[in-house]
Amino acid sequence: MPRRGRARRHLVVSALVGLLLSGCTAGPSSRPPVLEGDTGPASRSSTEATPDVPLPDLAEPKNSTLRWEDCPPELLEGLDGEGAGGGNHPVSCARLSLSLDAPGLPGLGLTRLGVTKVGNGPIPLVVLNDVGGEPGTRYAVRLAETLPDEVLERFSLIGVDRRGTGTSDPVRCIPDPERETLLGHDPATSVDPLLDAARTAGQQCAIALEDVQTAYDSWRTAGDLEELRAQLGVQRLNVLGHGDGSLPAAHYAVRFPTHAGRIVLDGVPDPSNDPAGVVTDVAAGAEATLDEFAADCARRNCPLGDDARAVVSELADDARATPLRAGEHRMSSVLVRRAVLAGLSQPQRWEELADAVDAARGGDATPLFAFVEPWLEDSWSGAPRTDAALVTWCNDTGARLPHDQLRETSRTLRTEHPVFGSVVAQRLVWCSPWPSRQEDVPELGSPDVPPILVLSTATDPLTPERGTVRAAEQIPSAVRVAWEGAGHGALGSPCVGEEVATFLVDGEVPRDGTLCPA
């Protein structure tokens, strides 16, 4: 039976929606265009009617061809209480073989994706994570511990390691010294060393990947989901995308509207064709999240004291002159900031992050380095995350900044956002020498798709709310639930979890603009 406990809250929320939509959480950016001819996405009117496409019914699989087996124990290492056949939700693994085609070049061979099945719910719900984040196979296991029970009673989570990540056939093409430079050099100091490293990385990836260099993007990952749908034996695919994992989920609905099921997008990247403006918003979100972390630290009497922001800033500034040591690794000022940013994105690890920062200022940087180690080091399951992230991000984007704008934008970002401006500026340089996308960047939405639930977070250090709002404006069938909390993604909120359960399990579409308190 559908839950009805939300009716009174929606009466209150409806009075607030007008204020929310007229404030800073909605509408197009006031930033001036950076690229000639770029006017930004058109804002969808709050009175515009959404397409009358019903939310599809749920149906159990028929004739699935996937073979589920016990997972390697290493896959579940560090996930307390979980395991194949154990913990709160049983976990099993499978491999999906599919065609690795590139634009205009079919028949380039096969690749394999790693997938996990979490829980015994009768209906599959595919889970995708950020390409640079924890692989989807592991993220699905963690997510199962936070979603409402009724979701896991109805669905099994199908975690997918996107092309080149995790237990899928890995992308490993960046030489170790260049990877260190890509992550550790400050472009606000000088762009050229970072640009040289990006050029070398691009050349080596072109050599290693050859004809399939452009096959790693979110649009073709949506095609992987269609093959997964067929092998799962379902008529419609239900998908939950987190962070930039929302992009292939959204593209799937556009490419295969008659096979799109119930889709949830948690923190969608800004689709604006304005790379400098996009990373400026990301830097602002990261700085705001640091403030939330500092306030939480003060409330908990954490070891960083009443001003954790000052402690982080001082630690990073000191590392400019004397880099921290973590085993064989040197942690530059920017790498220290990147490690902190990685911790800020996961509020459940804020206590661990505070202890790591405290240990680093005492001379032991190893706990802090652990937050960025997956970006630099091989793991049992594949290559460092940097490689697949760089390849996918650069294939997904079309705009590039010239050298003079890279230098000026990097300096502006560090001035305006002194803790994280340099970190987010790196990404602008990474893709600068990469071949520009020859195809049009695909639209996120289509009038032919069912309602899509979009979740935004007020203080998100990776996919800021302003960008998610712009993304929702491009999806005609989007309905947005806005969480007023902090962290990367809103699925940790009980209120958001209730809305997601109502959408996925009961098939009730929330009111667009519903607010969930922090």
Side-chain angles (χ1 to χ4, degrees), residues 58-76:
L58 297 175
E60 296 186 15
K62 297 179 180 179
N63 303 318
S64 173
T65 58
L66 281 176
R67 181 181 176 182
W68 298 103
E69 301 176 338
D70 289 346
C71 295
E74 298 91 344
L75 174 66
L76 305 173

Side-chain angles (χ1 to χ4, degrees), residues 8 11 28 50 70 72 195 203 218-219 224 248 260 273 327 332 361 378 406 423-424 431 443:
R8 182 177 293 108
L11 290 175
T50 57
D70 289 346
L195 192 57
Q203 292 165 358
S218 295
W219 181 253
D224 297 346
N273 192 31
S332 68
R361 66 175 175 171
D378 286 340
L406 287 174
V423 177
V424 302
C431 293
E443 292 290 328

